[in-house]
Amino acid sequence: MVGEVSTPGIQVIDDIPMTMLEAINRAGGFTREADFGNVLLTREGTTYRVDVQAVYEEGDITQNPLLQHGDIVNVLDHRFNKVFVLGEVANPGSYIMNNRRASLAEVLSDAGFVNQSTSDPGWIFVMRGDT
């Protein structure tokens, strides 16, 4: 267990199967910087992305796999979950999205809103990359 958990380290798997959530809980849970939706499971040389957030929000138990001896669980941080606000706003820049989502109003608020004297709110664009 590595990454954004309170106590990274080896988790012993005995004759009782252990799920990913159980391993994360045994490691002290997620840190404040953890990205619940971007947990990597490396098994036998192949890495899979696991969306633990979907377990919490949607009850998707397929995102809580049973771990096997030799698995590596890496809880990534949320610094890659950014939205970029550019143009006629008070504070253009990059902002971290909590829980992998943010509304347009929330992002504009974080950026200090649009400049009322120089901007045209009719020309606000939202561009998304591939996910």
Side-chain angles (χ1 to χ4, degrees), residues 15-124:
D15 58 338
I16 300 171
M18 182 177 10
T19 65
M20 182 173 287
L21 278 178
E22 184 177 350
I24 291 167
N25 288 333
R26 285 185 184 182
F30 292 112
T31 66
R32 293 183 65 208
E33 291 79 27
D35 180 358
F36 303 176
N38 213 5
V39 178
L40 301 181
L41 169 62
T42 302
R43 176 177 289 162
E44 298 176 358
T46 303
T47 301
Y48 308 91
R49 188 179 79 75
V50 180
D51 185 357
V52 175
Q53 185 174 346
V55 177
Y56 292 126
E57 293 182 355
E58 302 161 16
D60 184 355
I61 60 170
T62 64
Q63 298 299 307
N64 188 22
L66 286 174
L67 297 179
Q68 299 174 4
H69 177 74
D71 284 354
I72 299 170
V73 176
N74 184 2
V75 179
L76 300 178
D77 65 37
H78 61 220
R79 66 186 156 117
F80 296 112
N81 289 329
K82 289 186 177 183
V83 60
F84 299 91
V85 183
L86 307 171
E88 294 295 321
V89 293
N91 301 305
S94 63
Y95 296 89
I96 293 176
M97 290 189 297
N98 294 321
N99 298 324
R100 295 184 305 139
R101 64 176 156 262
S103 68
L104 178 60
E106 182 180 9
V107 171
L108 288 176
S109 172
D110 289 346
F113 295 104
V114 296
N115 185 320
Q116 296 295 314
S117 60
T118 60
S119 67
D120 181 353
W123 286 90
I124 293 176

